[in-house]
Amino acid sequence: MEKGIKMDKTQLVTMSPLVLAYLGDTVYESYIREYLIRDNCNKKVNDLHKTAIKYSNAKAQASIIHGMMEEFTEEETRIYKRGRNQKSHTSPKNADIIDYKCATGFEALVGYLYLKEDKERLEYIVYKGISIIESNM
């Protein structure tokens, strides 16, 4: 996909939720890494990685969903539920299955907002999510 060419709405809403989650995982992780680096620019990479895991594991992402679900639009809720309910051929290694499914839905939503190029909404959800996670730490 060339930069600057938006996907049309039909492509976005019919895209596999697991493909959206695949992209959303990377997008979310990038936001988390940048957030941590801005606060801890002199930290060792291994320490940054360990901290990033606290923000990006399934339990943390599930807590974002539980803390924000009422703020989602109908469209966002639909995308989240498609991702959450999608049959995955992998099983979580270090997560409860329910948290894992919620995290997949969250990542699908992040991927969707990214491809939709709704940066304002994406950043609102990511940074509100960070505050939810930090309030639970």
Side-chain angles (χ1 to χ4, degrees), residues 74-122:
E74 274 185 50
E75 175 183 37
E76 291 167 349
T77 299
R78 189 173 20 79
I79 296 296
Y80 159 71
K81 286 182 177 179
R82 282 184 58 222
R84 181 197 64 192
N85 296 337
Q86 184 69 36
K87 176 95 170 119
S88 175
H89 298 291
T90 60
S91 59
K93 294 173 188 80
N94 299 314
D96 172 272
I97 189 70
I98 294 170
D99 286 346
Y100 182 76
K101 287 181 168 286
C102 287
T104 302
F106 173 74
E107 290 170 349
L109 176 58
V110 168
Y112 174 78
L113 291 171
Y114 179 82
L115 288 175
K116 187 179 173 192
E117 297 181 10
D118 192 348
K119 186 174 181 179
E120 184 177 326
R121 184 62 176 162
L122 173 60

Side-chain angles (χ1 to χ4, degrees), residues 6-50:
K6 279 189 174 182
M7 296 183 79
D8 69 36
K9 188 164 175 97
T10 304
Q11 285 177 298
L12 277 173
V13 297
T14 59
M15 186 175 290
S16 162
L18 293 181
V19 170
L20 291 172
Y22 174 74
L23 176 61
D25 176 57
T26 299
V27 171
Y28 180 71
E29 182 74 23
S30 292
Y31 272 101
I32 294 303
R33 288 179 181 201
E34 183 178 338
Y35 172 77
L36 294 176
I37 289 167
R38 288 183 188 279
D39 272 0
N40 307 288
C41 63
N42 293 319
K43 246 184 165 179
K44 293 179 182 175
V45 173
N46 190 41
D47 293 336
L48 287 168
H49 178 71
K50 287 177 183 175

